[in-house]
Amino acid sequence: MFGSLQFAGQEHVDSWYAASAGPFKARASLTESLAADVCVVGAGYTGLSAALELAERGYRVVVLEGARVGWGASGRNGGQVLSDLACGMDLVRDELGQQAASEVWNMTREAVDLVGQRCAKHHIDADLVWGYFHAALKDRQLREQAAWQEDAARHYGYDRFELIGKDRLPEMVNSERYVGGLYEPDAGHIHPLKYALGLARAAEAAGVRIFEHSAVTEIVPGATVRVKVGKLEVRAESVVLAGNTYLGKLVPELDKKIMPVGTYIIATEPLGEGRARSLIPKNLAVCDANFVLDYFRFTRDTRLLFGGRVSYTGMTPVGLRETMRRSMLKVFPSLENVKIEYDWGGFVDITMNRAPHFGRVKPNIFFAQGFSGHGVALTGLAGKLMAEAIHGEAERFDLFAKLSHHSFPGGSFLRTPALVMATSYYRLRDYL
Ligand SMILES: Cc1cc2nc3c(=O)[nH]c(=O)nc-3n(C[C@H](O)[C@H](O)[C@H](O)COP(=O)(O)OP(=O)(O)OC[C@H]3O[C@@H](n4cnc5c(N)ncnc54)[C@H](O)[C@@H]3O)c2cc1C
């Protein structure tokens, strides 16, 4: 059930990713209590990245995963490897000043580079392709993109964006729906589940012990933290919380800062190289500039993966496949007779201001969450920064931790209506 927030005992969601990732290595569950230097909760990109970095620094690391490696958002997402933050850089500059914002921007670029470096270093064949297009549906959005291009060059030293007008649009995406957009050669797309499984292999090769079907039921803080899995426990000097929206009530102070929002993807039958390249000639990842956005790209076997549609209830929307197909046809009407072979979804961890939420719940219990749909690359950096902080180099982690965050009004029961109201406002703005 891909609408479920209950992960315990779950296998991988029935997606094109699961069908194409190759055989899954089964890992044992925790059967005895253990001691470790660091215990990581959650085997998505955030947790695996932290575990890998820590093991490479010589720490004994245990990862506890309630379902399977990559079972959460890391094994289901659109695979778009994005720089920047979901909240945009203006928010960071307004809160922390230009100098700090430049450091954060450089780290978002580092996050993207890290994906490529890890694939190369650890021999992870995850279908990585470079090139990204941020498609504008309106002239207003194109003007905003032009302003960002200028700002990025002037204030962040990044001059690789290319503004594309209507005349050159077919080089990027062959669709009448857009008026142009921003081309970014240094972002791209990846097979997300292959990447997660590859990170897990790399972490294990570095000495990390990963236990699947081992849901953490309680965390008892202290100089030695006791991370409980039923009657068993892992005792560790430090803990990394990397459970995304699934952590839920385990850590209430984190739960109230994020809201799980469902987002969904369909995969067509393979279209063949010729047809795929006629629609997206450079094989780019594409995302539109709306607040409630469409994101799409081709797979290695030439299926179009088309994502979008949001749900705030935790339930899978009725008629999902057909609704998504209609959205896809607005972009590519020529795909009318193409078969949709898969649909699936997952939860993104949205914060109120869309800024990532990093910090400590106790001096030795670290967390990173709130990637707000922008986490494929940034999670890798988050794991690295938590490893640095545990190793005594917390400056970069603390820079992110300075970003302020509000709880969703009304707590977990009423945050849904609050978010729906906020989103309705932005959705309305998408039409203007
Ligand atoms: C459909 C979809 C499309 C997306 N598309 C994109 C995209 O194109 N580009 C982009 O940048 N971002 C995208 N995202 C967001 C991105 O996937 C996430 O930000 C990222 O994967 C989060 O990684 P994570 O490791 O923090 O969390 P997850 O991958 O969700 O991992 C958390 C893990 O923790 C485990 N866990 C939780 N609680 C416990 C517990 N108590 N005990 C043990 N284990 C526990 C869970 O089982 C899970 O495996 C998308 C997300 C979704 C759902």
Side-chain angles (χ1 to χ4, degrees), residues 7 41-47 64-68 71-74 76-80 82 214-216 242-244 246-247 250 263 265 295 346-349 371 373-376 379:
F7 58 85
V41 182
Y45 304 141
T46 306
L64 298 172
E65 165 55 50
R68 303 291 304 269
W71 173 81
S74 299
R76 308 163 182 230
N77 60 69
Q80 305 216 350
L82 308 168
S214 302
V216 172
N244 195 358
Y246 305 99
L247 275 184
L250 188 65
T263 167
I265 299 178
Y295 50 95
F347 292 100
V348 292
D349 43 341
F371 297 95
H374 216 90
V376 169
T379 46

Side-chain angles (χ1 to χ4, degrees), residues 204-256:
E204 285 174 324
V208 173
R209 300 178 69 187
I210 302 176
F211 296 94
E212 294 185 322
H213 297 307
S214 302
V216 172
T217 47
E218 190 186 349
I219 295 175
V220 185
T224 298
V225 186
R226 293 163 63 205
V227 183
K228 296 195 161 211
V229 176
K231 293 196 166 78
L232 302 174
E233 66 184 25
V234 174
R235 290 178 299 278
E237 307 316 308
S238 304
V239 168
V240 167
L241 298 173
N244 195 358
T245 56
Y246 305 99
L247 275 184
K249 295 286 168 275
L250 188 65
V251 192
E253 58 266 56
L254 297 188
D255 186 51
K256 60 190 181 194

